[in-house]
Amino acid sequence: MYRVSPFVRHFGQALLAGIALATLWLTLSPASYYDAIEWRIAELSLPLWMAPFPVALTPMGIVSEGLMALFLFFVGKELWEAIRLERGALAGRRAGVPLGAMIGGWIGAVLVWLVSSALFETALEASTGTGWPLPIGSDVVLCYLFGRLIFGNGHPALHLLLLITIANDIVGLTVVGLVYPAAGLRLAWLGLVVLAVGLVWLFFARLAHPELSEREHRRAFALWPYVLAGAMSWLGVVLAGLPGALGLLPLVPVIPHADRAFGLFAEAEEFLHDPLNRLAHLLVRPLAVVLFLFGLTRGGVDVLALAPTTGTVLLACWLGKPLGVVVGAVFAARGLGFDLPQGVRLRDLLIVAMISGISFTVPVLALDSAVPGGAMAEAARLGLVISLLAGAAAFLLARALRRGHVRAGRGRT
C-alpha cells in the first residue's frame, strides 16, 4: 500500500503550534491579540460595482481569504485526482462506500445541529438552526495526525479517512459560502472565473496532449499561465461574494495532471513532473507557514466562552457526523452492494468515523459567516477546538478493540 508523504504531518504540527501560541497570547493579553490579528494594514476604496462594502486588509483576512486558498487548492487537487484518474479512490465502484460515508456524515452532522439548536437556545440574535452548515467541514491535517498514530502510515483506513475529510472540507466551505455569503452573492462575477479557466485551457492546458508537438507540449507545461489564471479565478470568486479560500479550486480540473493516481498525498507524487504536481510540490513548504499563521490568527480560544453553542458543536461533531459516517458506509456496503475498501474492516470504519469528528480548519474559516459574532462565535470556536479530543478518544477505542481482538484470538486457541 502506498505511503502518505511526511509533509502532511508537518502541516498538522504547524497548525497545532499556531493554535497553542494564539490561545496562550489570548489568555495572557486578549486586547493585544485582537489588535494584532485585526490590525487594518490598508483600506481599499473599491467602486460599488466591485465591492458593496469597504474592504480592509487585516492579517486575519489575508490569511483566511488569501493564503488559505493555496491550502484548499492543495487538498482539492487530491480529491480531483481521486475522482478523475485511473485507479483513483473515487473512480468507478470504489466510490460507493466513501461516498456513502461522506453523505451520511454530512446528513448526521446537520440533523444533530438542527435538533440541538432547537432544544437549546444558542444566542438571542440567532434563529433556530443558524449555522447548520458549520459541522459539515472537517480538518484534513489534524485528522491525519491521529489517523496515522492509530493506523500507521500505509493502512488503507488512513486513506479512507483522508478522502472523507478532504471532501468534508471542500463541501463544507462551499455550502457555507452559498448559504451565508459575506456581502451578498454577485454571481455575475463568476464569469471572470469561467474566463480564466477557459483561456488557460484553450491556449495552454489542451496542448499537453501527447500527440501534439514538443513545442506545444512545453508550452502546456509552463507554470506561469496557471498562476495568472489562478489569480484571476480567485478575484472572480471573491467579487462574487464567495469565500476567497475557494478561489483556486475551479482551476484544478484543467491543469495537466498525471495519468494515474498514486493515492492521496502519496510519496510517489514527489517524482512526477506534470504541472499540477509541480505546483503542489512548490506549495509544500509555504503551506506549513500558512497553516501556522492560520492557527495563530483564527485559533485563539477563550476558555471561558463555554455556552450552549459549544455543546451544539460537539454534539454535531462527536455524535451526528460519526454516526452518519458509519450508517452511510454500511448502507452503501450492505444495502447497495459496494465493497469496503480492501483491507478496511468494520472496526477500522468505527475508528475512522470517530476521528472524522475532529473539526477545526474549515469550520473556523466559515465561523464568521455562519454564526453571529461575539459570544456565539467564541462559544462555537471553543467547541471546535474541544472537538480535537475525538482523536484521543479514537486512540483509546482502537487500543481497546485491539486488546479485545487479541483476547478473543487467545480464547480460540
Side-chain angles (χ1 to χ4, degrees):
M1 197 67 185
Y2 76 89
R3 293 175 60 84
V4 177
S5 184
F7 62 72
V8 185
R9 183 174 74 253
H10 301 155
F11 288 171
Q13 293 167 348
L15 178 60
L16 289 174
I19 294 171
L21 181 57
T23 301
L24 178 63
W25 187 355
L26 179 60
T27 302
L28 297 177
S29 181
S32 67
Y33 175 76
Y34 286 117
D35 286 344
I37 65 173
E38 297 175 1
W39 171 48
R40 291 177 177 262
I41 300 170
E43 300 278 353
L44 301 181
S45 300
L46 300 176
L48 291 178
W49 55 270
M50 291 187 68
F53 300 104
V55 176
L57 292 181
T58 65
M60 184 170 62
I62 291 171
V63 173
S64 298
E65 296 294 314
L67 297 180
M68 285 301 287
L70 301 175
F71 176 71
L72 266 292
F73 171 85
F74 193 86
V75 299
K77 170 248 184 193
E78 298 295 329
L79 186 63
W80 170 249
E81 289 179 337
I83 296 171
R84 177 69 180 82
L85 300 188
E86 180 188 352
R87 300 177 68 179
L90 288 177
R93 289 186 58 83
R94 295 188 187 93
V97 170
L99 277 177
M102 293 172 199
I103 296 171
W106 303 336
I107 294 173
V110 171
L111 285 179
V112 170
W113 180 282
L114 292 175
V115 171
S116 177
S117 62
L119 293 175
F120 306 102
E121 182 180 293
T122 52
L124 294 176
E125 65 271 28
S127 59
T128 300
T130 295
W132 62 265
L134 198 66
I136 295 176
S138 189
D139 195 300
V140 174
V141 294
L142 296 183
C143 286
Y144 168 78
L145 284 183
F146 285 102
R148 186 179 187 277
L149 179 65
I150 294 169
F151 294 116
N153 196 23
H155 198 287
L158 180 62
H159 310 137
L160 176 63
L161 174 65
L162 283 171
L163 198 61
I164 293 172
T165 52
I166 289 172
N168 287 352
D169 278 358
I170 294 174
V171 171
L173 190 57
T174 302
V175 172
V176 168
L178 293 173
V179 176
Y180 301 109
L185 290 175
R186 302 176 298 280
L187 296 182
W189 281 107
L190 293 180
L192 192 60
V193 178
V194 175
L195 182 62
V197 171
L199 288 176
V200 81
W201 178 83
L202 181 63
F203 293 104
F204 296 94
R206 71 181 184 88
L207 303 179
H209 196 282
E211 295 182 0
L212 297 179
S213 68
E214 181 65 24
R215 180 181 178 183
E216 291 170 317
H217 198 258
R218 287 198 303 269
R219 183 176 172 183
F221 271 55
L223 297 184
W224 66 266
Y226 308 109
V227 174
L228 292 181
M232 189 173 170
S233 173
W234 178 86
L235 182 62
V237 168
V238 171
L239 294 178
L242 295 171
L246 297 172
L248 301 179
L249 288 179
L251 205 64
V252 171
V254 300
I255 300 177
H257 48 69
D259 295 329
R260 60 181 292 268
F262 290 87
L264 300 169
F265 305 115
E267 284 184 322
E269 292 180 346
E270 298 174 11
F271 303 98
L272 301 178
H273 301 288
D274 57 278
L276 189 57
N277 275 293
R278 285 163 60 204
L279 287 169
H281 300 161
L282 290 174
L283 289 175
V284 167
R285 293 195 179 188
L287 279 180
V289 178
V290 168
L291 287 169
F292 171 78
L293 293 175
F294 180 77
L296 183 63
T297 57
R298 301 302 297 265
V301 181
D302 182 356
V303 295
L304 301 178
L306 188 68
T309 304
T310 308
T312 297
V313 169
L314 291 175
L315 283 172
C317 292
W318 286 355
L319 176 63
K321 188 182 292 183
L323 184 60
V325 167
V326 173
V327 171
V330 171
F331 175 75
R334 298 187 177 177
L336 301 179
F338 292 101
D339 296 327
L340 282 171
Q342 187 176 5
V344 176
R345 296 161 294 184
L346 182 58
R347 66 171 178 265
D348 298 327
L349 181 61
L350 293 175
I351 302 300
V352 166
M354 185 172 287
I355 298 173
S356 71
I358 297 173
S359 298
F360 183 76
T361 304
V362 163
V364 167
L365 266 177
L367 197 59
D368 293 339
S369 300
V371 300
M376 187 176 180
E378 292 308 315
R381 193 190 315 272
L382 178 60
L384 293 171
V385 172
I386 295 175
S387 76
L388 271 63
L389 295 177
F395 178 77
L396 294 176
L397 177 61
R399 290 190 63 180
L401 291 174
R402 194 175 296 116
R403 287 175 180 173
H405 179 70
V406 171
R407 289 173 183 171
R410 290 174 179 173
R412 287 193 297 267
T413 58

